[in-house]
Each structure stands twice: as C-alpha cells, then as structure tokens.
Amino acid sequence: MRPGAVSLAVCCLVVLGAGPPAPSSPLPARMTDTGGGTQLITAVAPGTASTRGTVTWWDLRDGRWLKAGSAPARFGAKGLAEGASRKQGTNTTPTGLYGLPYAFGIKAAPRGTAYGYRRVHRDSWWCQDNDSRSYNRWTEPRAADCRASESEHLITYGERYAHALVIGFNYGRPVRGRGAGIFLHVNGRGATAGCVSVPKRAMRTILRWADPAKRPYIAVGTASGTTAVTRY
C-alpha cells in the first residue's frame, strides 16, 4: 500500500460511516404500556426522593409518539412510591399507569375542554375516610359516614384546584389505606401531599388538549430504577 493510503482509508471510513447515533425513541415508545389510547401524559422525576420533575403530554400519530407540550412538575413532599404498595398519609406520589376519569375545578373549564368537567361547590368533598363507603370518591354533600377530618373540602384549596384531572390511582376498586384523592392540579407553594402539580397555564393547556375519545392515560414514575416510568 502506497504511503498515505491507510490515512486515506481511515478518512473515508469517517466520512462514509454511519454518522452520529440516531436520536433515542420518544419516551412513550420505550414504555411497557401506554394504556392503548392515542394520548398520554408522562410525569417523570429524577428519583424516588425527588419532589420536582417534568410533565409531558404526547399524541400518537401515524404510529409515532409526538410531544405536544411539557411543563415543570411538583410531586409529593416525601417523593414517589410504588403505587401498588403505597400507604395513605405518606405524602408520596404513587407511581404507575392510570386512567383519568374526569376533570374538575373551582373555576369554569377552559374554553375548548372536551373532558367531563365537574364544578366545585361549597358542599363538594373528596372522601379519604377509610371507614366510609364513599372512600376515594367525590361526595356532595359530604357523606354521613365520611368524617370531615378525613376528607378534603375541595373549595378550600383555592388556586390549586382551580383546574384538575382526577388520576385513577386506587379508584376502580379502592383498597383501604392505600390512598385517596390523587390529582393532576395547579401548583401550590411547594411540593404536594401526593398529587402531581403543574403551573396553571400548563394545566389549562392540558385540559384543552385532552380528548376522552383518545383515551388518555397518565404514567407516573422515575427516570430509572424499579419505579422507572418505562416499566409501566
């Protein structure tokens, strides 16, 4: 081989090679399950001790997941915990994949909201009393067997519940002691008691974007580890 041929060959390999790695697949494409619909919300924290992370909403179009928007998020004051074994009163956000039964708010639904939207009134409560037949349900007025001390009087939450989506954690067949009243709602002053929260503008955008006909779900998890959002 003549002098310089090796260098030329190497040069050609660099120029003609595969180039930089292709971008990684969108997060929903790497998940075990997305719920089967064509809309998805992901709420991801760096780790289980984190109280901050990111909420992203996605659309499935022509077989590809496309990001529709994202916003900074807040999680429970004690971080996140595996939803299947979470305990009530721990101030942790449950990880897992959940439906979004309906929306609600102290204020009127943003124009363009397609989701079923329930307005909060002065006698609107969310029962968290483990001894009540209304456990983990909206009750209006408060059910006789649901203690006020074990419930959320929704109207007292002000801007936090200006707009919200019910997260279907422990909702279909509630397990007593696992937790109740987990929502995607507007940010308060800090971390939550177990919900996921986003800025008010983002919450309003999500409500206008969410289409019940597209069966949106929310996946809550961490970036890696046993509670990685990709496991759900």
Side-chain angles (χ1 to χ4, degrees), residues 143-217:
D145 68 344
C146 186
R147 291 170 291 175
S149 61
E150 298 293 324
S151 304
E152 288 191 358
H153 191 192
L154 298 177
I155 203 165
T156 64
Y157 283 75
E159 282 299 300
R160 285 171 290 175
Y161 289 175
H163 307 293
L165 271 166
V166 176
I167 295 176
F169 166 71
N170 201 30
Y171 189 79
R173 295 182 177 180
V175 175
R176 311 287 166 156
R178 184 158 293 168
I182 301 298
F183 312 128
L184 174 62
H185 64 73
V186 177
N187 281 342
R189 293 184 177 179
T192 73
C195 295
V196 180
S197 70
V198 293
K200 186 175 182 180
R201 178 177 294 181
M203 190 69 237
R204 291 175 62 86
T205 298
I206 289 169
L207 285 177
R208 286 191 292 263
W209 161 85
D211 183 350
K214 296 180 179 179
R215 296 180 295 149
Y217 277 70

Side-chain angles (χ1 to χ4, degrees), residues 39-75:
Q39 286 188 330
L40 178 71
I41 300 171
T42 55
V44 184
T48 54
S50 303
T51 62
R52 297 178 182 270
T54 304
V55 160
T56 306
W57 46 106
W58 307 81
D59 289 299
L60 182 63
R61 297 178 183 170
D62 300 323
R64 297 182 59 192
W65 285 101
L66 303 175
K67 184 169 75 171
S70 66
R74 299 303 306 266
F75 296 97

Side-chain angles (χ1 to χ4, degrees), residues 48-51 75-83 85-95 169 178-182 192-196 220:
T48 54
S50 303
T51 62
F75 296 97
K78 298 295 184 181
L80 294 83
E82 174 61 58
S85 57
R86 178 187 183 268
K87 302 297 182 183
Q88 184 166 329
T90 56
N91 287 343
T92 55
T93 297
T95 63
F169 166 71
R178 184 158 293 168
I182 301 298
T192 73
C195 295
V196 180
V220 184

